[in-house]
Amino acid sequence: MPNRTLTARKRIALVAHDHKKADLIQWASVNKERLISHELYATGTTGRLLQVALDTPVTCLLSGPLGGDQQIGSMIAEGKIDVLIFFWDPMSAQPHDPDIKALLRLVAVWDIPMACDRATADFIMTSPLMNQPYESILPDYDAYLKRKV
């Protein structure tokens, strides 16, 4: 099976729906010291809010509904994102629900750790694996790629 080595400094994507932005910013502020040792990416407004709250650079992509979720999905497929922290709103329909589903699918396809709530985010960020190299065993999609269509 193919492997992917994650370095000790992880590339973390942070995403939050409108009704969850305050929760993510509050969580990120509590975890500031853990987060700033990693490379941070975020969609639109969330990224700008994080830059102010953490006083650290955050690579800002497009807003989620304007393609930011797809940009993060592309980065996951290219091996450029190691962890996804996505505080999504389970109580509100989103105009870009298909993009969100595609992003979550890519997380599963490429074996990316993902948190969709504070508790899971806390577990991920406090894991000793967050600050050391990690050898991720990727699924073998060779048979799928060589299938007859």
Side-chain angles (χ1 to χ4, degrees), residues 1 10 22 27 58 90 92 108 121:
M1 292 207 151
K10 306 296 187 284
W27 173 85
V58 176
S92 297

Side-chain angles (χ1 to χ4, degrees), residues 14-144:
L14 299 121
V15 181
H17 288 154
D18 288 345
H19 290 104
K20 293 293 186 172
K21 287 188 191 321
D23 291 344
L24 180 66
I25 298 307
Q26 196 278 334
W27 173 85
S29 296
V30 169
N31 287 279
K32 177 180 178 174
E33 294 307 313
R34 288 185 178 104
L35 286 168
I36 63 174
S37 65
H38 300 284
E39 194 172 337
L40 305 179
Y41 297 82
T43 52
T45 306
T46 302
R48 290 188 294 280
L49 293 170
L50 285 165
Q51 283 179 333
V52 171
L54 302 178
D55 192 30
T56 196
V58 176
T59 300
C60 295
L61 305 170
L62 295 173
S63 172
L66 299 178
D69 295 329
Q70 290 185 348
Q71 285 179 300
I72 289 176
S74 175
M75 293 175 76
I76 288 170
E78 294 169 347
K80 296 178 181 176
I81 294 292
D82 303 318
V83 175
L84 175 63
I85 307 293
F86 187 176
F87 282 25
W88 60 278
D89 185 355
M91 304 307 284
S92 297
Q94 302 294 322
H96 59 301
D97 271 339
D99 298 345
I100 296 163
K101 184 176 181 181
L103 175 59
L104 300 177
R105 182 182 164 282
L106 288 170
V107 165
V109 166
W110 295 108
D111 196 30
I112 301 294
M114 184 194 81
C116 60
D117 55 50
R118 178 183 297 264
T120 309
D122 285 340
F123 273 82
I124 288 173
M125 290 306 297
T126 59
S127 168
L129 299 174
M130 277 302 292
N131 297 303
Q132 64 188 39
Y134 177 77
E135 197 71 24
S136 176
I137 301 171
L138 297 176
D140 186 357
Y141 293 114
D142 197 46
Y144 174 80

